[in-house]
Amino acid sequence: MVRLKTKRSCKLLHQTNSPSCKLSCSQLVQPLLSIILVSSIAGSAVAETETGVLTITDANWMVTMDGEWMIKFVAPWCPACAQLKEHWERFSSLAAAMGVSVGEVDVTEQPGLSGRFLVTTLPTIFHVKEGSVRRYVSVREAEEFHAYISNRRWEEVEPLPSWKSPTSPLMSCMAGLFRLSLWIRRTHGYLTGDLGMPVWGSYLSFAMATLVTGLLMGLVLVLVADCLCPSRQKRKEERAGVCVSMAEERQASDADEVEGSNEEEEPETLRQRRGQATCTS
């Protein structure tokens, strides 16, 4: 049994059960809108099991940055994770009295979160206090979990640096890479299983896609680099063009000055000729 912990969904369900309007259009449209809104809210709500353990996903992991949390990363095929399950559920019942939320992440379903928290071993447990993330490295038993919180042992552990924080841009990129790896694995299974493509054909398709993507990215990077940092030859040509334009401007200004001086000298020569003509007459 899974129930959604959100007040808005309860309100929307209450609205759908309220007396309908007299108009037939409203009777048809209102249930449809309520179903759409409830489904959209359910995607971002935190699901809670009967044991009180909250299921954390890519859609709602930001809720763990508020308050105090204990989060474990597990996988269904992990034997150590199966042994931890009983202690974790027992600790969840104890944590409610301390105001601590207990969550779990299935790395097979949420690879983005395993990349965001940089999970490399299973099971992995994190303590989160108001956005400050610490890795739990003590004994994995319910009583130890309880003592870790009640005795504030987490204060003795250094929190993750800012660049390794789940909210940092670097870890967001890591989450994208982990999601991409899952997509590639599922696509490979679809090509070889559903479409019946041979394994070498699937590998060849991924190789060609990687090659084309690399060429396009390289072309974009070259264009960006050429715009931001032009080559020396291009800079020399630009400087030569500037020098030529400056030389042309100087020549034009010199020519204008010569023409101006000729225009000033021409009236004087005419006056001299007129004076000579009057003398001879």
Side-chain angles (χ1 to χ4, degrees):
M1 294 292 293
V2 177
R3 61 185 180 86
L4 299 176
K5 293 183 63 179
T6 171
K7 295 181 179 179
R8 294 179 59 189
S9 59
C10 295
K11 290 181 180 179
L12 291 172
L13 292 173
H14 178 71
Q15 289 177 1
T16 55
N17 294 329
S18 60
S20 58
C21 301
K22 294 181 179 180
L23 297 176
S24 59
C25 293
S26 299
Q27 293 175 350
L28 294 174
V29 174
Q30 185 176 355
L32 294 176
L33 292 176
S34 301
I35 293 172
I36 294 173
L37 290 174
V38 170
S39 60
S40 63
I41 294 171
S44 59
V46 181
E48 182 180 356
T49 61
E50 292 180 349
T51 58
V53 179
L54 304 174
T55 302
I56 309 301
T57 65
D58 277 320
N60 58 28
W61 72 272
M62 280 299 296
V63 299
T64 62
M65 296 294 106
D66 296 329
E68 190 170 9
W69 286 76
M70 288 287 284
I71 309 170
K72 71 169 181 175
F73 288 76
V74 295
W77 45 261
C78 174
C81 300
Q83 296 176 2
L84 176 62
K85 183 177 181 181
E86 181 181 353
H87 293 280
W88 197 251
E89 291 177 351
R90 190 164 12 123
F91 167 67
S92 176
S93 60
L94 299 174
M98 297 185 294
V100 178
S101 301
V102 180
E104 67 177 5
V105 178
D106 185 352
V107 297
T108 60
E109 297 294 334
Q110 307 297 330
L113 286 181
S114 60
R116 188 177 293 278
F117 284 81
L118 205 60
V119 176
T120 56
T121 58
L122 294 175
T124 298
I125 300 174
F126 288 99
H127 171 263
V128 184
K129 177 73 171 179
E130 300 297 340
S132 183
V133 183
R134 294 172 173 84
R135 186 165 182 168
Y136 179 85
V137 292
S138 185
V139 180
R140 294 192 289 261
E141 294 181 357
E143 293 74 14
E144 290 294 326
F145 297 147
H146 184 273
Y148 185 82
I149 300 297
S150 59
N151 298 334
R152 302 180 67 89
R153 293 179 184 174
W154 51 268
E155 294 181 345
E156 302 174 0
V157 181
E158 287 292 331
L160 296 180
S162 58
W163 64 272
K164 290 183 67 175
S165 174
T167 56
S168 67
L170 179 60
M171 292 300 103
S172 298
C173 295
M174 288 296 297
L177 290 176
F178 275 64
R179 283 194 292 265
L180 178 62
S181 65
L182 179 64
W183 177 83
I184 291 175
R185 186 165 65 244
R186 289 179 176 175
T187 304
H188 175 71
Y190 173 75
L191 293 176
T192 56
D194 297 347
L195 299 183
M197 181 182 293
V199 176
W200 64 266
S202 177
Y203 289 159
L204 181 61
S205 301
F206 282 113
M208 294 299 297
T210 303
L211 181 61
V212 172
T213 304
L215 291 175
L216 293 176
M217 292 180 64
L219 179 61
V220 172
L221 290 176
V222 169
L223 293 176
V224 172
D226 188 57
C227 294
L228 297 178
C229 302
S231 61
R232 293 183 178 180
Q233 184 65 26
K234 188 174 181 180
R235 283 182 287 182
K236 289 181 180 179
E237 292 177 357
E238 291 178 354
R239 291 177 181 176
V242 172
C243 294
V244 170
S245 61
M246 292 176 64
E248 291 177 352
E249 291 178 357
R250 288 179 181 177
Q251 291 178 358
S253 61
D254 294 340
D256 293 337
E257 292 178 358
V258 171
E259 291 179 358
S261 60
N262 292 335
E263 290 177 356
E264 291 178 356
E265 292 176 355
E266 185 176 359
E268 294 181 356
T269 55
L270 292 174
R271 290 175 185 174
Q272 291 177 358
R273 290 177 182 177
R274 288 177 182 176
Q276 292 177 357
T278 52
C279 292
T280 53
S281 60

Short mmCIF file of all heavy atoms in Angstrom, two decimals, residues 172-213:
data_model
loop_
_atom_site.label_atom_id
_atom_site.label_comp_id
_atom_site.label_asym_id
_atom_site.label_seq_id
_atom_site.Cartn_x
_atom_site.Cartn_y
_atom_site.Cartn_z
N SER A 172 25.20 17.61 -10.90
CA SER A 172 24.09 17.58 -11.85
C SER A 172 24.54 16.97 -13.18
O SER A 172 23.79 16.21 -13.81
CB SER A 172 23.55 18.99 -12.07
OG SER A 172 23.04 19.53 -10.86
N CYS A 173 25.77 17.29 -13.59
CA CYS A 173 26.32 16.68 -14.81
C CYS A 173 26.52 15.18 -14.61
O CYS A 173 26.26 14.38 -15.53
CB CYS A 173 27.63 17.35 -15.18
SG CYS A 173 27.48 19.08 -15.66
N MET A 174 26.98 14.78 -13.42
CA MET A 174 27.15 13.36 -13.15
C MET A 174 25.81 12.64 -13.20
O MET A 174 25.71 11.51 -13.70
CB MET A 174 27.79 13.19 -11.78
CG MET A 174 29.25 13.58 -11.72
SD MET A 174 30.30 12.54 -12.76
CE MET A 174 30.09 10.96 -11.97
N ALA A 175 24.77 13.27 -12.69
CA ALA A 175 23.44 12.67 -12.75
C ALA A 175 23.01 12.46 -14.19
O ALA A 175 22.43 11.42 -14.55
CB ALA A 175 22.43 13.54 -12.00
N GLY A 176 23.29 13.45 -15.04
CA GLY A 176 22.96 13.30 -16.45
C GLY A 176 23.71 12.16 -17.12
O GLY A 176 23.15 11.42 -17.93
N LEU A 177 24.99 11.99 -16.76
CA LEU A 177 25.78 10.89 -17.33
C LEU A 177 25.23 9.53 -16.89
O LEU A 177 25.16 8.59 -17.70
CB LEU A 177 27.24 11.04 -16.92
CG LEU A 177 28.01 12.20 -17.56
CD1 LEU A 177 29.42 12.29 -16.99
CD2 LEU A 177 28.06 12.05 -19.08
N PHE A 178 24.84 9.41 -15.63
CA PHE A 178 24.29 8.15 -15.14
C PHE A 178 22.96 7.84 -15.82
O PHE A 178 22.67 6.68 -16.15
CB PHE A 178 24.12 8.19 -13.62
CG PHE A 178 25.36 7.82 -12.86
CD1 PHE A 178 26.50 8.60 -12.96
CD2 PHE A 178 25.40 6.71 -12.05
CE1 PHE A 178 27.65 8.28 -12.26
CE2 PHE A 178 26.54 6.37 -11.35
CZ PHE A 178 27.66 7.16 -11.45
N ARG A 179 22.13 8.86 -16.02
CA ARG A 179 20.86 8.64 -16.73
C ARG A 179 21.11 8.24 -18.18
O ARG A 179 20.40 7.41 -18.74
CB ARG A 179 19.99 9.89 -16.66
CG ARG A 179 19.30 10.08 -15.32
CD ARG A 179 18.22 11.13 -15.40
NE ARG A 179 18.76 12.45 -15.63
CZ ARG A 179 19.03 13.33 -14.66
NH1 ARG A 179 18.80 13.00 -13.41
NH2 ARG A 179 19.51 14.52 -14.94
N LEU A 180 22.14 8.84 -18.79
CA LEU A 180 22.48 8.49 -20.17
C LEU A 180 22.93 7.04 -20.27
O LEU A 180 22.58 6.33 -21.23
CB LEU A 180 23.58 9.43 -20.68
CG LEU A 180 24.10 9.17 -22.09
CD1 LEU A 180 22.98 9.35 -23.11
CD2 LEU A 180 25.27 10.10 -22.41
N SER A 181 23.70 6.58 -19.29
CA SER A 181 24.15 5.19 -19.32
C SER A 181 22.96 4.23 -19.22
O SER A 181 22.93 3.19 -19.92
CB SER A 181 25.13 4.94 -18.17
OG SER A 181 24.47 5.08 -16.92
N LEU A 182 21.97 4.56 -18.37
CA LEU A 182 20.79 3.71 -18.28
C LEU A 182 20.00 3.72 -19.58
O LEU A 182 19.51 2.68 -20.03
CB LEU A 182 19.90 4.17 -17.11
CG LEU A 182 18.60 3.38 -16.91
CD1 LEU A 182 18.92 1.93 -16.56
CD2 LEU A 182 17.73 4.01 -15.84
N TRP A 183 19.91 4.89 -20.21
CA TRP A 183 19.19 4.98 -21.49
C TRP A 183 19.88 4.15 -22.56
O TRP A 183 19.22 3.46 -23.35
CB TRP A 183 19.10 6.44 -21.93
CG TRP A 183 18.43 6.61 -23.25
CD1 TRP A 183 17.09 6.67 -23.51
CD2 TRP A 183 19.08 6.73 -24.52
NE1 TRP A 183 16.86 6.82 -24.85
CE2 TRP A 183 18.06 6.86 -25.50
CE3 TRP A 183 20.41 6.75 -24.92
CZ2 TRP A 183 18.35 7.00 -26.85
CZ3 TRP A 183 20.70 6.88 -26.28
CH2 TRP A 183 19.68 7.01 -27.23
N ILE A 184 21.21 4.17 -22.58
CA ILE A 184 21.95 3.38 -23.56
C ILE A 184 21.72 1.89 -23.32
O ILE A 184 21.51 1.12 -24.27
CB ILE A 184 23.44 3.72 -23.49
CG1 ILE A 184 23.68 5.16 -24.00
CG2 ILE A 184 24.27 2.74 -24.31
CD1 ILE A 184 25.10 5.63 -23.85
N ARG A 185 21.73 1.48 -22.06
CA ARG A 185 21.51 0.06 -21.75
C ARG A 185 20.10 -0.37 -22.15
O ARG A 185 19.92 -1.46 -22.73
CB ARG A 185 21.74 -0.17 -20.27
CG ARG A 185 21.68 -1.65 -19.89
CD ARG A 185 22.25 -1.92 -18.51
NE ARG A 185 21.46 -1.29 -17.46
CZ ARG A 185 21.91 -0.34 -16.66
NH1 ARG A 185 23.13 0.12 -16.80
NH2 ARG A 185 21.13 0.16 -15.72
N ARG A 186 19.11 0.47 -21.88
CA ARG A 186 17.74 0.11 -22.26
C ARG A 186 17.57 0.12 -23.77
O ARG A 186 16.86 -0.73 -24.32
CB ARG A 186 16.76 1.09 -21.60
CG ARG A 186 16.64 0.90 -20.09
CD ARG A 186 15.69 1.90 -19.48
NE ARG A 186 15.50 1.67 -18.05
CZ ARG A 186 14.79 2.46 -17.25
NH1 ARG A 186 14.20 3.56 -17.75
NH2 ARG A 186 14.65 2.17 -15.97
N THR A 187 18.20 1.06 -24.44
CA THR A 187 18.11 1.10 -25.90
C THR A 187 18.77 -0.12 -26.52
O THR A 187 18.26 -0.70 -27.49
CB THR A 187 18.77 2.38 -26.44
OG1 THR A 187 18.16 3.53 -25.82
CG2 THR A 187 18.62 2.49 -27.94
N HIS A 188 19.89 -0.53 -25.96
CA HIS A 188 20.56 -1.74 -26.44
C HIS A 188 19.66 -2.96 -26.26
O HIS A 188 19.55 -3.82 -27.16
CB HIS A 188 21.87 -1.93 -25.68
CG HIS A 188 22.57 -3.21 -26.01
ND1 HIS A 188 23.19 -3.44 -27.23
CD2 HIS A 188 22.74 -4.36 -25.28
CE1 HIS A 188 23.71 -4.66 -27.24
NE2 HIS A 188 23.46 -5.22 -26.07
N GLY A 189 18.99 -3.05 -25.12
CA GLY A 189 18.06 -4.16 -24.90
C GLY A 189 16.89 -4.12 -25.86
O GLY A 189 16.42 -5.17 -26.33
N TYR A 190 16.41 -2.92 -26.17
CA TYR A 190 15.29 -2.80 -27.12
C TYR A 190 15.71 -3.21 -28.53
O TYR A 190 14.98 -3.91 -29.23
CB TYR A 190 14.78 -1.36 -27.12
CG TYR A 190 13.75 -1.07 -28.17
CD1 TYR A 190 12.44 -1.52 -28.03
CD2 TYR A 190 14.09 -0.35 -29.32
CE1 TYR A 190 11.49 -1.25 -29.01
CE2 TYR A 190 13.15 -0.08 -30.30
CZ TYR A 190 11.84 -0.54 -30.14
OH TYR A 190 10.92 -0.28 -31.11
N LEU A 191 16.91 -2.79 -28.94
CA LEU A 191 17.37 -3.11 -30.29
C LEU A 191 17.62 -4.61 -30.45
O LEU A 191 17.26 -5.21 -31.47
CB LEU A 191 18.65 -2.33 -30.61
CG LEU A 191 18.50 -0.81 -30.73
CD1 LEU A 191 19.86 -0.16 -30.96
CD2 LEU A 191 17.54 -0.42 -31.84
N THR A 192 18.25 -5.21 -29.45
CA THR A 192 18.58 -6.64 -29.55
C THR A 192 17.42 -7.55 -29.19
O THR A 192 17.34 -8.68 -29.70
CB THR A 192 19.78 -6.95 -28.64
OG1 THR A 192 19.47 -6.56 -27.29
CG2 THR A 192 21.01 -6.19 -29.09
N GLY A 193 16.53 -7.09 -28.31
CA GLY A 193 15.43 -7.94 -27.88
C GLY A 193 14.17 -7.76 -28.69
O GLY A 193 13.70 -8.70 -29.36
N ASP A 194 13.61 -6.55 -28.70
CA ASP A 194 12.34 -6.31 -29.38
C ASP A 194 12.49 -6.29 -30.90
O ASP A 194 11.64 -6.83 -31.62
CB ASP A 194 11.74 -4.99 -28.90
CG ASP A 194 11.40 -5.03 -27.42
OD1 ASP A 194 11.39 -6.13 -26.84
OD2 ASP A 194 11.16 -3.95 -26.84
N LEU A 195 13.54 -5.66 -31.40
CA LEU A 195 13.72 -5.56 -32.85
C LEU A 195 14.51 -6.73 -33.44
O LEU A 195 14.57 -6.88 -34.65
CB LEU A 195 14.43 -4.25 -33.19
CG LEU A 195 13.70 -2.96 -32.79
CD1 LEU A 195 14.48 -1.74 -33.26
CD2 LEU A 195 12.29 -2.93 -33.35
N GLY A 196 15.13 -7.53 -32.60
CA GLY A 196 15.87 -8.68 -33.11
C GLY A 196 17.18 -8.33 -33.79
O GLY A 196 17.71 -9.13 -34.57
N MET A 197 17.74 -7.17 -33.53
CA MET A 197 19.00 -6.77 -34.14
C MET A 197 20.14 -7.54 -33.49
O MET A 197 20.14 -7.74 -32.27
CB MET A 197 19.22 -5.26 -33.96
CG MET A 197 20.50 -4.73 -34.58
SD MET A 197 20.71 -2.94 -34.30
CE MET A 197 19.35 -2.29 -35.27
N PRO A 198 21.12 -7.98 -34.27
CA PRO A 198 22.27 -8.66 -33.66
C PRO A 198 23.06 -7.71 -32.76
O PRO A 198 23.00 -6.50 -32.90
CB PRO A 198 23.10 -9.11 -34.87
CG PRO A 198 22.64 -8.26 -36.00
CD PRO A 198 21.20 -7.94 -35.74
N VAL A 199 23.81 -8.31 -31.83
CA VAL A 199 24.55 -7.50 -30.86
C VAL A 199 25.55 -6.61 -31.57
O VAL A 199 25.71 -5.43 -31.23
CB VAL A 199 25.24 -8.42 -29.84
CG1 VAL A 199 26.10 -7.59 -28.89
CG2 VAL A 199 24.21 -9.22 -29.07
N TRP A 200 26.25 -7.16 -32.59
CA TRP A 200 27.23 -6.34 -33.30
C TRP A 200 26.57 -5.17 -34.02
O TRP A 200 27.16 -4.09 -34.16
CB TRP A 200 28.03 -7.20 -34.27
CG TRP A 200 27.21 -7.80 -35.39
CD1 TRP A 200 26.63 -9.03 -35.42
CD2 TRP A 200 26.87 -7.17 -36.64
NE1 TRP A 200 25.93 -9.22 -36.58
CE2 TRP A 200 26.08 -8.09 -37.36
CE3 TRP A 200 27.16 -5.94 -37.21
CZ2 TRP A 200 25.58 -7.81 -38.62
CZ3 TRP A 200 26.66 -5.65 -38.47
CH2 TRP A 200 25.88 -6.59 -39.17
N GLY A 201 25.32 -5.38 -34.47
CA GLY A 201 24.60 -4.28 -35.14
C GLY A 201 24.27 -3.17 -34.16
O GLY A 201 24.35 -1.99 -34.50
N SER A 202 23.89 -3.55 -32.94
CA SER A 202 23.62 -2.54 -31.91
C SER A 202 24.89 -1.77 -31.56
O SER A 202 24.87 -0.53 -31.46
CB SER A 202 23.04 -3.21 -30.67
OG SER A 202 22.84 -2.26 -29.63
N TYR A 203 25.99 -2.50 -31.39
CA TYR A 203 27.26 -1.83 -31.10
C TYR A 203 27.67 -0.90 -32.23
O TYR A 203 28.17 0.22 -31.99
CB TYR A 203 28.35 -2.86 -30.85
CG TYR A 203 28.22 -3.63 -29.56
CD1 TYR A 203 28.84 -4.86 -29.37
CD2 TYR A 203 27.43 -3.13 -28.51
CE1 TYR A 203 28.71 -5.56 -28.18
CE2 TYR A 203 27.29 -3.82 -27.33
CZ TYR A 203 27.93 -5.04 -27.17
OH TYR A 203 27.79 -5.73 -26.00
N LEU A 204 27.46 -1.35 -33.46
CA LEU A 204 27.82 -0.51 -34.62
C LEU A 204 26.96 0.75 -34.66
O LEU A 204 27.46 1.84 -34.99
CB LEU A 204 27.65 -1.31 -35.91
CG LEU A 204 28.01 -0.59 -37.21
CD1 LEU A 204 29.48 -0.18 -37.21
CD2 LEU A 204 27.69 -1.48 -38.42
N SER A 205 25.68 0.62 -34.32
CA SER A 205 24.80 1.79 -34.31
C SER A 205 25.26 2.81 -33.27
O SER A 205 25.33 4.02 -33.55
CB SER A 205 23.36 1.36 -34.01
OG SER A 205 22.90 0.44 -34.97
N PHE A 206 25.62 2.33 -32.08
CA PHE A 206 26.10 3.24 -31.05
C PHE A 206 27.45 3.86 -31.44
O PHE A 206 27.71 5.03 -31.15
CB PHE A 206 26.23 2.51 -29.71
CG PHE A 206 24.93 2.30 -29.01
CD1 PHE A 206 24.41 1.03 -28.84
CD2 PHE A 206 24.20 3.38 -28.53
CE1 PHE A 206 23.20 0.84 -28.20
CE2 PHE A 206 22.99 3.20 -27.89
CZ PHE A 206 22.49 1.92 -27.72
N ALA A 207 28.30 3.08 -32.11
CA ALA A 207 29.59 3.61 -32.54
C ALA A 207 29.41 4.72 -33.58
O ALA A 207 30.07 5.78 -33.51
CB ALA A 207 30.46 2.49 -33.10
N MET A 208 28.51 4.51 -34.55
CA MET A 208 28.25 5.53 -35.55
C MET A 208 27.63 6.77 -34.92
O MET A 208 27.99 7.91 -35.27
CB MET A 208 27.34 4.98 -36.64
CG MET A 208 27.97 3.85 -37.46
SD MET A 208 29.44 4.41 -38.35
CE MET A 208 28.73 5.65 -39.43
N ALA A 209 26.69 6.56 -33.99
CA ALA A 209 26.08 7.71 -33.33
C ALA A 209 27.11 8.49 -32.51
O ALA A 209 27.12 9.72 -32.51
CB ALA A 209 24.94 7.23 -32.41
N THR A 210 28.01 7.76 -31.84
CA THR A 210 29.06 8.43 -31.07
C THR A 210 30.00 9.20 -32.00
O THR A 210 30.41 10.33 -31.68
CB THR A 210 29.86 7.39 -30.27
OG1 THR A 210 28.96 6.66 -29.42
CG2 THR A 210 30.92 8.07 -29.42
N LEU A 211 30.34 8.61 -33.15
CA LEU A 211 31.23 9.28 -34.09
C LEU A 211 30.61 10.56 -34.65
O LEU A 211 31.25 11.61 -34.68
CB LEU A 211 31.58 8.32 -35.23
CG LEU A 211 32.53 8.84 -36.32
CD1 LEU A 211 33.88 9.20 -35.71
CD2 LEU A 211 32.68 7.82 -37.43
N VAL A 212 29.35 10.46 -35.06
CA VAL A 212 28.68 11.65 -35.61
C VAL A 212 28.52 12.73 -34.55
O VAL A 212 28.76 13.91 -34.81
CB VAL A 212 27.31 11.24 -36.19
CG1 VAL A 212 26.52 12.48 -36.60
CG2 VAL A 212 27.48 10.31 -37.37
N THR A 213 28.15 12.32 -33.34
CA THR A 213 28.01 13.30 -32.26
C THR A 213 29.33 13.97 -31.94
O THR A 213 29.41 15.19 -31.74
CB THR A 213 27.45 12.62 -31.01
OG1 THR A 213 26.21 11.98 -31.32
CG2 THR A 213 27.22 13.63 -29.89
#
